[in-house]
Amino acid sequence: MNKLFITFILSTLLLSVVCIVKSQSDSYKPILLMHGFAISEDCGANTDWDTMLKYIQKNNPDQIAIALDVDNHLKSTKPMFTQINDIYLLMTSILENNSSFANGFHIIAHSQGALLMRSLVEMYGFKVDNFISLAGVHNGVFGVGFTNDYWFGNFTDKELTDLMYSSSMQKEFSVANWWNDPKDNDRYIKENFFLPALNQELSELTPEFKANFVSSIGGSFNAFGSQDDEVVDPWISELFGYYNENMVMIPINETYSYQQDSYGLKTLDNQGKLKLTQVDGVKHADWLRREDLFNQYILPLISK
């Protein structure tokens, strides 16, 4: 009798432990990860996330994490609206065929990928828990500092702006869609086919963008940026700031989109759902591979 009683107790305890472990792993919402831009066959692809996927597996072994296999490498230069459509088709296929996403999911996105995923949330609305933006180009880029050491040669700011705002580049090249000359806002509004619409800076607004963005974020929108990024210019675009017309960097609360609450940034902020974090000493691609950054900033957000 005693042996049977002891066996019963041990079995009950073991079952309880198994249930606790299962409930903990089940509580981790799945993750979709979106890569950034590159004119290269070495990066700008779903494989950019290989290192981070290992970190996720190490810490949360049962958590589903999918690096979106879409518009990789040179295809990451396709115009933004084309890429948005490509990602949307892949995302809806994943969500419709995997019940694990039914109660919401996290997004981790890097650089251009952060802008693309924010676009999808605004345009279509998804059940997102935490959105993690790593060095996202949310208010665009500007200037020779971004291009000379990366993929263009010796252009002046004006020559680059003329090139980026040309109809052919706007229709064919993603970076042109997030080129933003702060010294000529009227031209930016008129000639950039993408970013003014997404950031709701046009005279005619799309109310659904704001409604979708605000209602989609169940947890928080977390943007991370670094003044030592060395790719995004101005780096504060990663935290929804930008240059003013005098080429002085301004924070988010001095930008048009925030002050007008054009697509919901101020609303999220007032709800305590907008988290902006500056981390010094971080280069653009460090977010993809540094384990200390993952452990300190990303892991807590995906382990809820």
Side-chain angles (χ1 to χ4, degrees):
M1 181 68 68
N2 289 337
K3 288 184 179 179
L4 288 174
F5 180 74
I6 292 171
T7 301
F8 172 76
I9 294 297
L10 290 175
S11 298
T12 302
L13 289 172
L14 180 60
L15 181 61
S16 298
V17 170
V18 170
C19 289
I20 291 171
V21 171
K22 185 175 188 301
S23 65
Q24 287 176 339
S25 64
D26 286 350
S27 69
Y28 296 148
K29 287 188 170 66
I31 309 167
L32 294 180
L33 303 95
M34 184 60 201
H35 64 81
F37 158 93
I39 302 182
S40 169
E41 291 298 323
D42 299 321
C43 55
N46 63 311
T47 52
D48 290 355
W49 298 108
D50 286 354
T51 299
M52 189 176 293
L53 290 173
K54 292 177 182 176
Y55 297 154
I56 295 171
Q57 175 66 22
K58 174 183 174 181
N59 289 275
N60 298 341
D62 296 319
Q63 188 167 25
I64 296 172
I66 301 173
L68 296 172
D69 186 5
V70 60
D71 289 332
N72 297 312
H73 305 301
L74 292 176
K75 291 182 180 179
S76 69
T77 68
K78 293 196 297 187
M80 294 291 280
F81 281 123
T82 301
Q83 292 193 63
I84 287 168
N85 183 66
D86 295 342
I87 299 168
Y88 176 77
L89 293 175
L90 177 58
M91 279 183 65
T92 53
S93 175
I94 292 171
L95 301 183
E96 289 171 0
N97 292 286
N98 193 327
S99 61
S100 299
F101 287 83
N103 293 320
F105 57 95
H106 303 303
I107 289 174
I108 305 177
H110 181 243
S111 192
Q112 174 181 270
L115 183 56
L116 285 165
M117 296 303 280
R118 174 165 71 85
S119 303
L120 281 150
V121 171
E122 282 187 41
M123 294 171 67
Y124 300 105
F126 290 96
K127 197 171 185 179
V128 179
D129 190 357
N130 288 325
F131 191 120
I132 303 170
S133 168
L134 306 173
V137 290
H138 294 290
N139 281 336
V141 296
F142 176 73
V144 295
F146 174 72
T147 59
N148 277 355
D149 295 331
Y150 193 44
W151 39 265
F152 268 115
N154 292 318
F155 283 77
T156 65
D157 287 348
K158 184 181 183 308
E159 289 170 336
L160 275 173
T161 296
D162 290 343
L163 176 64
M164 294 297 187
Y165 286 166
S166 66
S167 178
S168 59
M169 289 292 274
Q170 286 292 314
K171 292 177 180 178
E172 300 293 337
F173 189 44
S174 65
V175 176
N177 295 152
W178 30 280
W179 189 262
N180 179 358
D181 182 353
K183 295 179 291 185
D184 192 346
N185 189 68
D186 289 342
R187 187 180 183 192
Y188 158 72
I189 295 295
K190 180 180 178 180
E191 299 184 18
N192 186 308
F193 294 177
F194 173 76
L195 194 60
L198 180 74
N199 284 354
Q200 296 274 66
E201 298 167 293
L202 303 176
S203 56
E204 294 186 13
L205 302 181
T206 306
E208 293 82 5
F209 283 10
K210 180 177 180 179
N212 286 340
F213 186 59
V214 171
S215 63
S216 290
I217 307 299
S220 56
F221 191 106
N222 306 269
F224 296 91
S226 176
Q227 64 180 347
D228 301 304
D229 182 272
E230 296 184 353
V231 171
V232 176
D233 185 6
W235 72 269
I236 204 168
S237 179
E238 301 171 349
L239 302 181
F240 294 96
Y242 205 62
Y243 289 128
N244 65 15
E245 65 276 11
N246 298 315
M247 294 295 291
V248 175
M249 282 194 294
I250 57 173
I252 180 176
N253 60 353
E254 295 182 29
T255 64
Y256 175 88
S257 295
Y258 182 88
Q259 291 181 342
Q260 299 299 315
D261 201 22
S262 60
Y263 62 93
L265 282 177
K266 191 173 184 178
T267 297
L268 284 185
D269 195 14
N270 290 338
Q271 294 174 348
K273 291 184 175 182
L274 181 64
K275 312 291 184 181
L276 309 179
T277 305
Q278 176 181 340
V279 186
D280 295 337
V282 181
K283 290 181 170 51
H284 193 66
D286 284 351
W287 297 105
L288 301 171
R289 54 178 178 248
R290 276 180 48 182
E291 191 168 11
D292 60 324
L293 296 175
F294 173 82
N295 288 336
Q296 183 172 354
Y297 299 108
I298 300 170
L299 181 59
L301 292 170
I302 62 172
S303 300
K304 297 180 178 180

